[in-house]
Structure formats: structure tokens, C-alpha cells
Amino acid sequence: MATFLYRLGRGAFRWRWSVVLLWFAALVAAGFGAVSAPAADDSGTSFMPGIEAQKAYDLIGERFPGADANGANARIVFVAPDGEKVTATDTRAVIDDFVAETGKGSQVASAVSPFAADAVSEDGSTAYAVVTYKVAADDLTDSSTHALENAVDEARDKGVTVEVGGTALATQPAAGGSAEAIGIGIAAIVLLITFGSLAAAGLPLLTAVIGVGVSMAGIIALGSTFGLSLTTGTLASMLGLAVGIDYALFVVSRYREERSRGRDPREAAGLAVGTAGSAVVFAGLTVIIALAGLSVIGVPMLTKMGLCAAAAVAVGVLVALTLVPALLGMWPDAVLSRGVRNGRPRALRKQRNENNGGSRWARFVMRRPKAVLLVTVAALGALAVPAASLEMGMPGDEAKPVSTTERRAYDALADGFGAGFNGPLTIVVDARNSDDPKGAATAVADAIKDTDGVVSVSPPTLNPDGDTATFSAVPSTGPNDEATKELVQSIRAERAGLEDSAGATFEVTGSTAMDIDVANALQDALVPYLIVIIALALVLLLVVFRSVLVPVKAAFGYLLSVLASLGAVVAVFQWGWGAELLGVEQTGPIMSLMPIFLVGIVFGLAMDYEVFLVARMREAYVHGDRPAQAVVSGFRHNARVVVAAAVIMIAVFSGFIGSTESMIKTVGFGLAVAVLFDAFLVRMTIVPAVLAILGDKAWWLPRWLDRLLPRVDIEGAALTAPPADSPSEEARREPVRT
């Protein structure tokens, strides 16, 4: 592989104008496709096939023709002025006018008055009207949404407090442009400090932005075909930008190093792509496999996010291997520091990193490896403790800022009708085999009404064929309350007896039941997926490093990183530690998709640093260094760049903590702390400590396994022959002063 990439790097350097034009053409083509593509619509996709709530949801769409189960809805909450009631003549007239006006829309299926549906609180302070639509929220026309907004404004102008929940006017999350801008700004500063050259700092930023531009434009262009959402694009841009900068950073850094050794520009570009590029390929491959592996979980939304992010990472790898050496060919000396360009000896010595902070840190750790290892593992273990209390759910309007009308509507309904009113359960009764479908549905409704924890039950509504009915059951507790989860389990536990007596079957669905089922399914899948990811890490690193113990150490470090990051997420977003500092207005269960998505992404990022750092150690070992010297050499050459890459990733991910979208905020925080833990505690501390303890054993591989494994030459042994005076195997075993 190293030889192929070496030739690729030299070719890109030589044919630089062609390479640049090809990437420019790809960017233009993807941009044209994005502009020309229709808006994405993923409303018809089942969220998680196979769970009971989804099957019941699909049954409603099948048995109630014309009633789109994904149809938009708006729950309009009216709160009377202080000391008054909504039943007062003036206030009631405002509400009646509102219902009459909103019911005229061509896309409106129904607009139900609170006075006709008994939707007035006991104290008379609050009421709500439900407006349902024939189409999904994404298909609502501007005239439909404007009509609803105008009606709300008119009611407010008449002195009634009006808030809107539901999907029809749901607040859309910010596109995240400011987050990327913040990340790029911090990355520019870090790169400038690291390289001391504007060109060297700007090149990784430029290529990463081009790569993200191609990826995002492609996602938008294919959005309508595959139902790719805004959240999908945000996560892809987050990862694409982070790894794009990092991958280019490693290639540019190696190019500068080779130039400092006197290589001509084209040869330096070839060697940089052949060595650092090999690490980029395997690091990118681990991220891609981990993200693509999310498709086995069985959640279409998670699959889309994983595949789109994997595509963005793949583009970042291709950019680093082709566009970066091409741009280096255009300005071969610009990325070098001024001192190196002028040939000053001091600058050349500094460029070669003969003795720097990385090597000094490695020697410090290797002087007392057992103590350092014990303290670091204990610290990460303590950070991981909260992960044992992980609760998964799907935060709704209650997690939104109080500045949104959805959050205010949620709070008003909870105050007026009880916490459970925001999460009603929908019961679907299949009475096809019953002699009296209406009586069967009523029997089921009566039985569920008597269940502890149910406040009220609506009358069953039969479909046109008279063989299926639906009704709502309102819990006494909120959607994300543990008691609500137990209530759903209790109702389902009663099913066998009810089905025998009523002669009909039923299933529980609705947004609350759906969230509960999804959370349970994903929580059950989390540990198996973690096991698969760790096994994958062992196999990949076994091939890359041709060692048994190095992959085991890497997998153990990854496990510590992911558990510590999950523990930090639980502490902040579930327990509320420091939540206000991050703008988290409501704590509660962690978004169901987030932990399993975090596990996949952190795996890729952890392997990034493992490959970049340890590959250089392996390269030094293969070329003749003793084990301790190889560790110091790896840190001398790559520690500074790894630190810069980690700081850049932390900056990029931290920028997304300011998002109003709960999923993006949580993932941004989780990834930021995961990189912090993995880069600085695991790779920069645990790795040298463990390798110091193991010595030559770290690179041990049974002969039979050595014959079976493919040789990928990630260390570039085929490109750089070891010096003639390289130490013998016996000399390697001699102790080295640290």
C-alpha cells in the first residue's frame, strides 16, 4: 500500500492542475445538483421497523384510508388572562373564531374546538384545539402555514395567550453554519501556532472546506431520493470538517519533515502520502466502517446519518491523498517556515523535532509507567461511573428552549391538564375477528381506563370498515417519566387476558410509546454493538501493526474513552452537572440515538490517534530503533501534530454545543470530551506507559499468524530502507535511558 500511495502522491504533485480541476469540477457538479434537487422528504420512512409501536403506527395508516399517520398536526393552547377563564364570553368567541378560520384550509383534515372535545382544564384557565392536516409537515404549503400563523397572531392580538405545539409549525434547528465558523476559526489559530506558516495553516483548512463542500452538496442533492434530513447533514459536516483538517494536517506535517531532510518537493510529497497517507487510509477506514456499521442497528434514521457521515469521511481521505499533494505542488515552499525556506540551521533543527515536548513527555511517562498508568486508568474509570445510570429516551418539546412556542405550549398543557397530557398513548384495537368490533373496542378502552396510572381514556373511533378502532389514554406522568414506561409495560402485560375476553387484539403506539420502544431497542443493542466494534478494532489493528498486544491495548483504551465520554454526557445532560453553562434548559433521558452513534464515532476517532501515533513508533521499530527509542521517536515526530489535531477536533465539535437541536448539542459535547479523553489521557499517556512496560513483547506476533495476515506496509518499509548500521535484534533489547 505504501508504494501505491507513494506513486499516487508523486502523480498528484506532477499533474497538480488536472487534480485541482477535477476537484473543482466535482464541487461544481455537486453544487449544481444541490441547487436543482427538490426538497428532501423522509416522512414515509418507518423510524424503527419491528417494534410494537411502529407496527401499530403502520396499521393505522393501513386501516384508516385518507388519514395519513404521518400527517402534520398543530395543538393550539389557549391560556386565559390572569383571573379569567377560557369559557368567558369574549375569550370563547376568540377561540371559536380561531377554530372556524383554521378549518377552512384546503390541506386541513379537521379543526376541533376545545368546547366540543371537552378540552378545557378543570380550573378553566387553559384549553386546546387540535388542527390535523391531510399531508405531512414537509408537504404543507406556505399558504397553509401562513394561514395558521395569521390566525394565531389575530388571537394573540385580542388578549389571549396562544402557544402552538405539534409538527405543523415546529421550530427548525439552526443549520449550524456558526458552529462550523467557530471551529474553523479555532482550527486556523491552532494550525498557525503548530506550523508557524500561514500557508501551512491555511492548506488543511482549504482542503477540508472543499471536501465538506462536496459532501454536503452531494447530501443535499440526494436528499429527496434517500430522505436525508438536516440533522443528517449537520453530523456529516461535523465529522467531515474535523477529519478533513486532521488528515490534511498529517500529510502536510510529514511533507515538511521530509523537506527538512533535504528531499526535493515531489519526492517529499510522494513520501508524505506513502507514509502519513497510509495512516490516513487506515484511520479513515476505521471511521467509515464504524459509521457504516450503524446500519445493522435497524434504525433508518441512524443508518442515513452513519452512511452520510461515512461518505464525508471518505471524501476527506481522498482529498488528503490527492488534493493536498496537488496544492503542495503549486506552492512547494510556501508551507515551510520562513527559517527553513531561508536555510537557517536553527529553524531546520526545530523542523526536524530532534528534541521537543513530545519526546520529553514520552520520557517522563516511561520513567514511571506503572504509576502513570494506574492514575490515568483510575481517572477514566471514575469519569465512566455515571454511564452505569444511563437512561435513554427521546426528549421532545420539553427539552427545547423556553423561547420556543412549542416549549411554552408544553408547559401550559402540563400546568392545565397534568404532566401526562403531553404524552398520550394511542391504542389500536384490531377487531377484525370479533363479532362485535365496537363492543370489543369499548371493552378494551374500559379495561385500560381502570389501569393504575391512566387519567382518562377517549371514546374509541372506528375506521370506515368498522373492524379497527383507535383511542387515546392519558397517563398521570410525563412522557419521559419512569412511571410512564412502567405503565406501557403494564398495559401490554394485560393484553392476553383482554384479548381473550374482548375477542380482539390491540397494540400501544403514539409518540410516547414509540420513544419508549426505540429507547429499549437501542439500549439492548448498545452492548452488542460495542462488542462488535471492539472486535473490529482488534482485527484491523492486528493487520496494521502486526502485533497481538498493541490491538488489545488500543481496544482497552477505546473502551475507557467511550465509557468516560458517556459518563460525562450522563452527568451533564441527565444529572444536570454544569448543564446551565452549556445552555441545557431541561435535563432528562439521553437521546436514544446518541449513545450508540457516539460509540461508533468515538471508535473511529480513537483509532485515528492510535494509527497516527503508534504507526510512527512501528515505523521507527521496523527501521531499527529499540522499543523504548521507538516510542520516543513516535512522540518526537507526531505528538505535536496529534495534539494539534485533537485540539482542532475538540474545537469543531464544541462549536455544535451551541445548537438548539438536542441531538446535535449532545453529540457535539460527547464527541468533544471523547476526543479530549482519548487523545490526551489514552493515546498520549496510557499508550507510552503500556508500551514501556511491554518492551519488545508489544510487537510480538506468532509466526503462524504472521504468515496468515496480509502485509499492508503502513510504516512505509518498502519506501525507506533501514540504515546499514541499524541495531541488531539483540541490541534492541538493551535498555535505553529515558
Side-chain angles (χ1 to χ4, degrees), residues 373 538 541 545 548-560 607 610 614 617 682-683 686-691 694 698-699:
L373 181 64
L538 292 173
L541 295 181
F545 295 125
V548 173
L549 297 180
V550 168
V552 172
K553 176 264 305 170
F556 175 71
Y558 159 69
L559 186 61
L560 284 175
M607 295 306 104
E610 180 73 16
V614 181
M617 299 177 192
V682 175
R683 309 304 154 187
I686 291 180
V687 166
V690 171
L691 292 180
L694 293 176
W699 308 106

Side-chain angles (χ1 to χ4, degrees), residues 46 126 340 496 519 524:
S46 296
T126 310
V340 173
D524 291 341

Side-chain angles (χ1 to χ4, degrees), residues 38-127:
D41 176 21
D42 60 349
S43 58
T45 304
S46 296
F47 184 78
M48 191 170 188
I51 60 176
E52 177 176 326
Q54 184 65 59
K55 290 188 289 185
Y57 199 66
D58 295 339
L59 183 63
I60 293 175
E62 176 188 337
R63 299 286 179 86
F64 288 81
D68 187 358
N70 294 305
N73 65 83
R75 181 181 286 182
I76 316 300
V77 184
F78 304 94
V79 180
D82 291 341
E84 299 183 18
K85 296 185 178 182
V86 293
T87 53
T89 304
D90 292 344
T91 304
R92 179 164 184 159
V94 172
I95 296 173
D96 287 338
D97 290 345
F98 174 90
V99 174
E101 183 66 25
T102 55
K104 296 176 182 178
S106 60
Q107 291 185 312
V108 176
S110 65
V112 182
S113 169
F115 308 110
D118 193 23
V120 179
S121 63
E122 291 185 5
D123 62 4
S125 64
T126 310

Side-chain angles (χ1 to χ4, degrees), residues 228-255:
L228 307 179
S229 65
L230 179 64
T231 300
T232 299
T234 304
L235 293 171
S237 69
M238 180 193 301
L239 284 174
L241 183 62
V243 302
I245 294 174
D246 279 5
Y247 294 166
L249 168 64
F250 275 90
V251 173
V252 172
S253 177
R254 188 60 184 257
Y255 172 82

Side-chain angles (χ1 to χ4, degrees), residues 12-21 203 206 255 265 323-334:
F13 188 97
R14 179 182 180 184
W15 304 103
R16 44 194 173 271
W17 282 108
S18 298
V19 173
V20 171
L21 288 175
L203 193 147
L206 174 63
Y255 172 82
L323 184 58
V324 169
L327 293 177
L328 289 173
M330 291 182 171
W331 300 282
D333 295 333

